[in-house]
Amino acid sequence: MSRCLVIINPVSGGGAARRYALDLQWKLSTLFETIEVKFTTGEGDATRFAKDACERGFDAVFCMGGDGTVNETVNGIAQGGFKSTFGFIPVGTVNDMSRALGIHQNPTQAIKRININQTRTIDIGRCNDKYFCNNIAAGVIPKVIEEVTPKEKSILGPLAYFLRAGQALFTTKDYTYRIQTENDDFICKSPLVLALLTNVVSSFERFMPEASVDDGYMRIIIFKEYFILDILSVLPLIISGAIYNSRYTTTLTVKKAHIELLSNIGDLPTNMDGDQGPSMPVDIEVLPRVLKVFAPAKHKKKKALNLPILPHI
């Protein structure tokens, strides 16, 4: 008997998840013999639900929500031993993971296009004792964006991140890090350090065009000390996918890294897939092709570019 757990975050997308919940349940009921539906009410619910489903032998775990809900659900599947295939419908503010996998951004279309015969096995990252799907970042912008409240997201949508990020333009503090990888060991100053598993950051779908969800590597992008002050020159490079080989960044392609904060500023949490992650120091590594996902076999890149929304790092 095929079984599927459906996890729905009812507040995602300003409550949009509730509007599509029945459509998703109906679609999955045509694909699985048994479905079970659970709604989250607080932090950690999706992780707990997904882990329990894996341990109970569910064939699939779907979630409907934003990047935070996706992250929590994947953490649960990871804790459950990656025994269930993962699927999701994006209804969040930015939806980086769905962009990286070629899943339609319109929830109705994404539901219609669910095909349990189309799967990919992708990489995920581990940071200390937690897991991430897309990115983990530390520095000025993540610290400012961390202050975005659920109410601001609900009222302003992606504009909330843009306004908070604008505050970083006036906060040019650099942090000193020690970064150790399998190939390097060095100290650097940077306002923003980003570890990335996919080609997408903050809805910028060409941020790291050479990256793939299943290549077994992560890219650590170290932004130079002056990039925030020259933001008007940086934005076109980000949009065109040229930031990674510009004078504003240093990029490392690695499988694991230890990042330690040397600045004496107290606690500096990271931002993981859009929500608060572990504090420094962090040990991060790629777990290659461990997560089976319902998604198109190959993401066809868009020919036309739309101006993305800033930022959700």
Side-chain angles (χ1 to χ4, degrees):
M1 175 181 290
S2 60
R3 295 188 295 167
C4 175
L5 174 67
V6 185
I7 301 170
I8 297 173
N9 182 346
V11 300
S12 287
R18 287 188 179 276
R19 299 199 300 271
Y20 302 105
L22 288 178
D23 291 339
L24 178 59
Q25 292 176 57
W26 180 86
K27 175 69 175 184
L28 293 176
S29 70
T30 68
L31 301 173
F32 296 92
E33 294 177 89
T34 302
I35 64 167
E36 185 175 318
V37 181
K38 292 190 176 183
F39 288 83
T40 62
T41 58
E43 184 178 350
D45 281 353
T47 298
R48 180 164 46 85
F49 295 156
K51 179 183 178 183
D52 179 66
C54 285
E55 292 174 344
R56 291 165 56 196
F58 275 66
D59 300 278
V61 174
F62 272 79
C63 74
M64 178 184 285
D67 289 333
T69 305
V70 169
N71 176 276
E72 279 203 20
T73 304
V74 169
N75 267 264
I77 292 174
Q79 292 174 23
F82 299 102
K83 296 176 183 177
S84 302
T85 303
F86 175 54
F88 66 101
I89 302 299
V91 292
T93 307
V94 178
N95 303 317
D96 278 343
M97 194 60 183
S98 62
R99 295 176 189 274
L101 285 169
I103 294 173
H104 205 286
Q105 296 302 295
N106 179 282
T108 298
Q109 291 300 318
I111 291 169
K112 287 181 179 179
R113 297 181 188 194
I114 293 173
N115 184 344
I116 60 173
N117 295 314
Q118 288 187 337
T119 61
R120 297 185 70 175
T121 305
I122 67 171
D123 307 335
I124 67 167
R126 178 163 53 203
C127 176
N128 295 354
D129 61 347
K130 294 187 178 295
Y131 301 87
F132 61 100
C133 310
N134 194 66
N135 69 74
I136 180 167
V140 172
I141 291 178
K143 193 171 183 181
V144 171
I145 293 174
E146 193 65 48
E147 299 171 3
V148 175
T149 66
K151 184 176 181 180
E152 287 173 329
K153 289 189 211 178
S154 176
I155 295 173
L156 299 174
L159 182 60
Y161 292 111
F162 182 84
L163 293 176
R164 287 290 187 178
Q167 296 177 15
L169 299 177
F170 305 99
T171 309
T172 57
K173 180 177 178 61
D174 296 316
Y175 299 98
T176 302
Y177 302 93
R178 181 181 182 185
I179 300 178
Q180 298 170 281
T181 73
E182 60 263 41
N183 301 314
D184 297 286
D185 184 348
F186 60 93
I187 293 173
C188 63
K189 282 189 174 182
S190 174
L192 174 63
V193 174
L194 173 68
L196 180 64
L197 291 177
T198 76
N199 60 307
V200 182
V201 172
S202 308
S203 80
F204 290 95
E205 296 186 25
R206 293 191 55 176
F207 184 89
M208 185 61 60
E210 65 176 18
S212 172
V213 294
D214 56 5
D215 63 10
Y217 290 95
M218 63 181 163
R219 277 74 182 175
I220 296 179
I221 302 99
I222 305 162
F223 287 80
K224 302 292 179 64
E225 300 170 57
Y226 49 82
F227 101 97
I228 287 180
L229 297 177
D230 204 9
I231 194 69
L232 293 180
S233 297
V234 170
L235 278 175
L237 296 175
I238 293 176
I239 293 169
S240 66
I243 187 65
Y244 73 98
N245 60 0
S246 72
R247 68 187 183 92
Y248 297 100
T249 65
T250 297
T251 301
L252 310 174
T253 301
V254 300
K255 294 183 178 181
K256 60 174 62 177
H258 173 83
I259 303 178
E260 180 181 355
L261 179 69
L262 299 183
S263 299
N264 186 20
I265 63 165
D267 188 39
L268 179 65
T270 59
N271 186 288
M272 179 185 288
D273 289 342
D275 288 327
Q276 184 169 316
S279 296
M280 292 287 176
V282 293
D283 287 290
I284 52 179
E285 66 174 320
V286 180
L287 304 180
R289 300 192 179 189
V290 293
L291 181 66
K292 191 174 182 180
V293 183
F294 295 111
K298 187 176 182 180
H299 181 192
K300 295 181 179 179
K301 294 183 179 181
K302 298 178 181 179
K303 294 182 180 179
L305 290 177
N306 295 320
L307 183 64
I309 300 298
L310 259 179
H312 174 58
I313 300 174

